[in-house]
């Protein structure tokens, strides 16, 4: 009888452990990083033409190019990923409608970089139509804020993908002037 009870206890312990592992690996928040990494792969293969504008400290540069390192270009969007196990309880979730996810950093978690993230899905494809986020970093020597936006949509035979992106904000070192910037691109 004792070996039977011991076997049941072991079975129960293993089944609880495996369900915990499955729950821990399942994303809690919308998988922004997965979507953006998929777009990086797609854009790297397709090499679309991009009309790009950069504004840094009162200087503007415009160019049209196909030569873009998409991993670097969309790096901040990957950094907006909040699906890390340590962040599981760090954000409040609001669903104003069935197509919108709004995540806001809880006041007790002020040291995290991603302060707010919004994902709006397309009603037909259920793919992200727009991703916006606010990222802030601050310490006694440095302060920065970046507001990012990635808009996606249908593009004929090329399928669903990035159509526009924008990164704007500022960086400031203590005792130095504030450096403002804005980079935006339109993918053709």
């Amino acid at each position: 009888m004792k070996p039977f009870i011991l076997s049941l206890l072991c079975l129960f312990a293993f089944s609880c452990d495996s369900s915990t592992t499955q729950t821990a690996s399942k994303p809690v928040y919308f998988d922004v990083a997965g979507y953006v990494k998929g777009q990086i792969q797609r854009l790297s293969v397709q090499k679309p033409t991009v009309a790009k504008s950069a504004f840094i400290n009162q200087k503007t540069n415009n160019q049209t190019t196909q030569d873009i390192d998409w991993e670097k270009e969309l790096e901040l969007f990957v950094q907006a990923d909040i699906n890390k196990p340590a962040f599981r309880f760090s954000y409040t979730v609001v669903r104003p409608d069935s197509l919108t996810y709004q995540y806001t950093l809880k006041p007790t978690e002020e040291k995290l970089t991603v302060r707010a993230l919004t994902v709006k899905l397309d009603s037909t494809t259920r793919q992200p139509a727009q991703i916006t986020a606010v990222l802030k970093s601050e310490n006694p020597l440095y302060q920065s804020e970046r507001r990012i936006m990635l808009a996606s949509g249908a593009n004929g035979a090329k399928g669903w993908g990035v159509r526009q992106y924008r990164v704007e904000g500022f960086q400031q070192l203590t005792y130095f002037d504030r450096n403002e910037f804005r980079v935006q691109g339109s993918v053709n």
Side-chain angles (χ1 to χ4, degrees), residues 38 45 61 84 126 180-181:
V45 170
N61 179 20
K84 296 176 176 71
R126 298 288 186 187
E180 295 188 3
F181 60 88

Side-chain angles (χ1 to χ4, degrees), residues 53-62 180-182:
S53 173
F55 169 83
I56 301 172
N57 291 332
Q58 307 297 326
K59 296 178 184 174
T60 303
N61 179 20
N62 296 314
E180 295 188 3
F181 60 88
R182 181 179 61 248

Side-chain angles (χ1 to χ4, degrees), residues 9 13 15 22-23 78 84 107 121 133 156:
L9 287 174
S15 67
Q22 290 173 355
T23 304
V78 174
K84 296 176 176 71
L121 303 179

Side-chain angles (χ1 to χ4, degrees), residues 138-182:
E138 192 171 354
N139 64 42
L141 301 174
Y142 174 79
Q143 181 181 12
S144 78
E145 178 177 308
R146 291 141 308 170
R147 293 173 304 283
I148 62 176
M149 184 278 301
L150 183 80
S152 299
N155 189 9
K158 293 181 181 179
W160 191 267
V162 175
R163 306 296 297 141
Q164 295 180 343
Y165 59 94
R166 182 178 63 239
V167 176
E168 59 186 348
F170 71 88
Q171 295 177 334
Q172 184 171 12
L173 292 169
T174 305
Y175 308 117
F176 290 94
D177 291 336
R178 180 175 166 140
N179 294 318
E180 295 188 3
F181 60 88
R182 181 179 61 248

Side-chain angles (χ1 to χ4, degrees), residues 117-130:
L117 173 66
T118 301
V119 180
K120 294 181 180 178
L121 303 179
D122 178 70
S123 61
T124 306
T125 64
R126 298 288 186 187
Q127 292 287 319
Q130 186 176 61

